[in-house]
Amino acid sequence: MTAIRQRRVEKGTEAAEDQPSEEKDVKPSGKILSDHTGGKLWNILSITVGGIVAISLGLLTSVYVATLHENDLWFSNIKEVEREISFRTECGLYYSYYKQMIQAASIQQGLHGLVYDNKTESVRTINILERMNVYQEVFLSILYRILPIQQYLEPVYFYIYTLFGLQAVYVIALYVTSWLLSGTWLSGLLAACWYITNRVDTTRVEFTIPLRENWALPFFAVQIAAITYLLRSHLQPVQERLTLMAVFMATFLFSLTWQFNQFMLLIQAVALFILECFDMLPTAKVMWLYIIQISGLLLVCVLQFFNSMILGSLLLSFNASVLIARTIQKNLKKGGLLNRLGKLILHVLLVLCLTLLINKFIKKILNLESDEHIFKFLKAKFGFGATRDFDANLYLCEEAFGLLPLNTFSRLSDTLLFYVYVFVLFFMTVAAAIVAFRNLSDSNQVQFMEKMEECTITLKPDAAYNLIHTVLFGCLALSTMRMKYLWTSHMCVFASFGLCSTEVWKLTLKCIHLYTSQRTRVIKYSVPILTLLYISYKFWPGIMDELSELREFYDPDTVELMNWIKSNTPNTAVFAGSMQLLAGVKLCTGRTLTNHPHYEDKNLRERTKQIYQIYAKRSPEDVHRILRSFGTDYVILEDSICYERRHSRGCRLRDLLDIANGHIMDGLGENEPDLKPSLYPRFCEEIKKNLPPYTIHFTRVFQNKTFHVYKLAKHK
């Protein structure tokens, strides 16, 4: 198994606020002109300094994660096969297509190999560009081939440096979003520092480089920054058009690079829907954002050869339903409180019904079942009945798809991020509730409005959007740990904005009857600066120690296996085994696979369940027949799966297979009453005894401490 071992070493200035001051200057005209010129120069200087700080922090973050990656694996010193093995599970599968494009005789031949691929799934020809989001690998490989850098930079470094470079884009986008919300680049500086010091919970790019989210999240952050700017008032038409174009490009690139794009954009669409219903966002801009989401996703659908999973996505159905409902119901924002609440409830019901009907209709026409495992997983996760479905249980038993661990909050609290976030979230939520109630109330009730004006609680559209965004993605992260990176990075933005926000401090001080404009201004700058000093004092030594710690990659068993496969099996050999291992087999050896970790296909899921019978209680004849039906020549058995102890009873892979097959699980513990003992012992254990019923069909050709490779007999 892969391990990391100790390496053996030989001896401020601020940006202007959105709204100009309403106080009238009564100074002489010459003085007014001088002040205006000075203010303009100050703004230019502020934006310049803030921009330089943003770019510098982005580049430093890229260098930081690249250094951590090098120090952790000694990447520059290990062999190519070790570098490739370090791209674990699905990361290795995605990188293999980049390698395939680089090694192709021509770009055209490389593209043809992806469109008509017969090595990723044996006895099947599939279109990789349709099934997987690998256009980024295609683009990078073409760029590497046409740029004159082959003599100076290895393909693998061009690939990983691009991903680390995207981290700079990510941090700059977070910085800019916080700056736009608060009006001061000090907020952006704090957001970037929190992102870096909470790296364990904000990114995993340094050890899962090719993962789709590492490509997609920087573009998502850019999109959020563009939406934040778009929702500002008093934009010029040219500014609005350019911003809409930026939103579209970011949405398109985000959708193109991650297969889960539709679910993230659906949450975003729901956020826009909620805010528009409460009249907290301008309707015209929200409609444009719906259209951008639809058009971006449809363009990706075209590039992915009309991928049916995209066409059947809930996002397209939901956005279409909202646009239809808005056309039908034109007077949602007229009338008193009860009248508007009634209309709003009808509007929500209409949108939900239309969404379900449209989605059901599309899936019926397309006979779409690619995403059914996700809904089975969600149904079981949230307690809508137990399931014996193998695919759903495979997700349920993975820690990454479980609830967010409580120790996450203790780590986030160490940097003060979580405390500040909760403080800002509380006051912003109160403000949002008051504003929503005011918006729903009858505008003709003058007395009520006068009372509300005395309260002077406002919530700008950009702040309202980021509030709902962080709440919804927070709920997603709490329910599914793997999605926490969408929340924690935005948590840095939201907390830093609140700490540098005039509105938040004004509301806070008014609540305790201590408000003055001068006191608000002092607190707005002093608290973030003190927070930055605390973070620097507490975490800078730890970061330096982390950067000085040297380790190296160490996985001799897997290296031995890959070298043996390359040296002792034909190029056309077909291998069966676990999804995670086979991704590495494809990358390191180029051999044909029976299954792989990209799980968004019903046929592949059924195939994987059949292949995994090698870890179930099945007869050697059954296993041989199943494997040969997929053209298997060699099967790789892993002791770490056969004798798994990482998961508890009921969640081990062999337990999931036993339950799905109706067999009693191994070990002490309860079993469901209708489960029965199997007639056969566990295949992966029994085959190692070299008994005649097994040796007739399987011959062991390789063995080490971790892996056992058997060649299948080809019976007529």
Side-chain angles (χ1 to χ4, degrees), residues 209-255:
I209 298 174
L211 208 61
R212 301 300 82 180
E213 68 189 45
N214 294 329
W215 286 97
L217 292 188
F219 298 122
F220 196 45
V222 171
Q223 188 230 38
I224 294 167
I227 290 176
T228 301
Y229 184 76
L230 176 69
L231 294 176
R232 284 183 156 193
S233 55
H234 310 302
L235 286 183
Q236 297 295 323
V238 174
Q239 292 175 315
E240 192 168 308
R241 284 195 291 270
L242 289 174
T243 308
L244 284 170
M245 190 178 299
V247 174
F248 172 77
M249 287 302 301
T251 303
F252 167 69
L253 291 172
F254 169 70
S255 301

Side-chain angles (χ1 to χ4, degrees), residues 12 29 102 155 222 227 232 246 257 270 286 301 432 450 470 632:
S29 59
I102 292 287
V222 171
I227 290 176
R232 284 183 156 193
T257 51
V270 170
V286 172
C301 182
E450 287 175 352
T470 197
T632 307

Side-chain angles (χ1 to χ4, degrees), residues 493-556:
V493 171
F494 194 75
S496 61
F497 143 64
L499 213 58
C500 299
S501 169
T502 302
E503 290 80 4
V504 171
W505 285 117
K506 184 177 179 180
L507 178 61
T508 306
L509 292 174
K510 280 191 172 184
C511 287
I512 56 177
H513 307 291
L514 291 174
Y515 170 73
T516 64
S517 59
Q518 187 176 5
R519 185 176 287 138
T520 303
R521 188 173 180 83
V522 170
I523 293 175
K524 172 184 173 179
Y525 294 114
S526 60
V527 173
I529 290 171
L530 289 173
T531 305
L532 282 168
L533 291 173
Y534 169 79
I535 293 172
S536 302
Y537 172 76
K538 184 170 182 179
F539 292 97
W540 181 257
I543 290 174
M544 291 298 100
D545 290 342
E546 190 178 34
L547 289 172
S548 63
E549 189 173 357
L550 304 177
R551 303 171 184 237
E552 69 175 304
F553 177 86
Y554 185 72
D555 189 0

